[in-house]
């Protein structure tokens, strides 16, 4: 007689939901491996990026000389808010920095907001409709995704450092700051600069990843309450899920805002001369 199918244990459920759809066949979870592509992270990142672009494009097309509707008014408020933050922090050309901050805020907010969708919905659709066994839908709960975003900020900071100070001035700063220009201090200065750039990049990516990963894990634990076939289990599942979802709205917004502000600070440092 064939073995009867059994429901997954709590451990199996969480391990399954924390496994990516990737080029390794689903073996990788949150390990950084440049030979492996997490296709679910790529898909939902691109999907939310397209949605971000469409929202901005749609708002621009709807702008008129009269009173803006609520959608345009909301987008204009976000644009003005981000531009004010960029102008207050960055003392230089805002033609690239302000749009970078705006895209960072809106895009990361939309990626984070996927966490508010029931945790089993996308994996169930992927499995039942497309035959895909593994699916994680929150790109910012993947360390590969958040570090990629942080590396864009790093590249922007270096680019504006070179553009503002020139290649020679940027290299001079690498070897003479923070301890001085004596040639014996050059290796120490360079080491400190490299550590600073790496620390800022890693911390920027890890902060966003850690918060979103923890939030996703809490939703999975709450979902396990619903597996309890009792009235109190269903009740706790609904009440705790609702409470955490409401609180998580603040988290996803705050994390997008923090990433945007730190991106402004780090890129703004590229315009400063020591």
């Amino acid at each position: 007689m064939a073995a009867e199918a059994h429901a997954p244990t709590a451990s199996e459920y969480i391990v399954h939901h924390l496994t990516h759809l990737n080029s390794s066949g689903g073996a990788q979870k949150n390990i950084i491996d440049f030979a492996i592509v997490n296709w679910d992270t790529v898909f939902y990142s691109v999907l939310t990026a397209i949605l971000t672009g469409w929202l901005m494009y749609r708002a621009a097309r709807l702008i008129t000389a009269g009173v803006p509707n609520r959608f345009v008014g909301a987008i204009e408020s976000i644009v003005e808010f981000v531009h004010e933050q960029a102008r207050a922090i960055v003392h230089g050309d805002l033609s690239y920095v302000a749009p970078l901050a705006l895209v960072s805020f809106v895009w990361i907010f939309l990626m984070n907001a996927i966490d508010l969708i029931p945790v089993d919905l996308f994996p169930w659709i992927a499995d039942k409709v497309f035959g895909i066994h593994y699916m994680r839908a929150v790109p910012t709960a993947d360390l590969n995704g958040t570090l990629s975003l942080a590396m864009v900020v790093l590249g922007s900071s270096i680019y504006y450092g070179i553009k503002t100070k020139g290649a020679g001035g940027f290299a001079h700063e690498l070897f003479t700051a923070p301890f001085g220009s004596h040639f014996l201090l050059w290796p120490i200065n360079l080491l400190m600069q490299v550590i600073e750039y790496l620390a800022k990049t890693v911390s920027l990516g890890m902060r966003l990843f850690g918060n979103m990963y923890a939030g996703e894990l809490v939703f999975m634990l709450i979902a396990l309450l619903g597996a309890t076939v009792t009235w109190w289990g269903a009740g706790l599942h609904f009440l705790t899920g609702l409470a955490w979802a409401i609180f998580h709205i603040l988290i996803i917004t705050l994390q997008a805002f923090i990433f945007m502000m730190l991106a402004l600070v780090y890129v703004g440092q590229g315009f400063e001369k020591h």
Side-chain angles (χ1 to χ4, degrees), residues 17-85:
H17 278 61
L18 290 179
T19 305
H20 288 281
L21 168 67
N22 54 54
S23 54
S24 70
Q28 187 220 28
K29 295 176 179 62
N30 275 300
I31 303 171
I32 299 177
D33 188 340
F34 294 107
I36 296 175
V37 178
N38 291 340
W39 296 115
D40 44 12
T41 297
V42 173
F43 174 78
Y44 288 105
S45 297
V46 172
L47 183 64
T48 49
I50 293 173
L51 180 58
T52 300
W54 180 83
L55 288 173
M56 298 297 106
Y57 174 79
R58 182 64 177 169
R61 290 293 302 270
L62 292 176
I63 292 177
T64 61
V67 178
N69 59 35
R70 293 182 181 180
F71 170 70
V72 174
I75 297 298
E76 285 184 345
S77 298
I78 295 174
V79 172
E80 290 176 5
F81 170 75
V82 172
H83 190 269
E84 287 299 318
Q85 300 302 317

Side-chain angles (χ1 to χ4, degrees), residues 2-3 6 24 31 41 44 49 54 71 85 99 126 163 186 190 192 201 219 242 254:
H6 66 279
S24 70
I31 303 171
T41 297
Y44 288 105
W54 180 83
F71 170 70
Q85 300 302 317
K163 183 177 180 180
W186 289 357
L190 178 61
M192 293 299 294
T201 303
F219 275 121
L242 179 62
L254 185 61

